[in-house]
Amino acid sequence: MKVRPLGDRVVIKRIEVEETTKSGIVIPGAAKEKPQEAEVVAVGPGGMINGKEVKMEVKVGDRVLFSKYAGNEVKVDGAEYTILKQDDILAVLE
């Protein structure tokens, strides 16, 4: 099943980064905060949103940083995604 966002929405998948302390101890995902870095999986069409023209500035495959508490988490076919507005994306990583 594919997820197709509407309007100015973007579907992202968080990128899990394994973190290791200086002494070599690996910190498991449950013991740290969720990452704010993600890959864009799908992008809405943009267009007229609340009377303003919205141009989509991200594209599928972009790596982005997003606001800590932004969006809604959803599970589709066993995979976890976050759907958020383009405004909640802080930066594109190049």
Side-chain angles (χ1 to χ4, degrees), residues 2-16 35-45 56-67 80-94:
K2 291 177 94 174
V3 178
R4 185 175 53 99
L6 303 175
D8 64 341
R9 301 279 197 271
V10 178
V11 179
I12 59 173
K13 185 171 180 78
R14 292 179 191 263
I15 298 173
E16 295 292 332
Q36 289 177 261
E37 187 176 329
E39 180 178 352
V40 175
V41 177
V43 178
M56 299 307 285
E57 297 182 30
V58 295
K59 62 187 180 307
V60 174
D62 281 351
R63 288 178 67 129
V64 296
L65 293 176
F66 61 97
S67 298
E80 292 184 16
Y81 300 100
T82 302
I83 300 176
L84 48 85
K85 289 187 172 194
Q86 180 175 249
D87 288 346
D88 293 326
I89 295 175
L90 304 173
V92 176
L93 302 173
E94 297 179 347

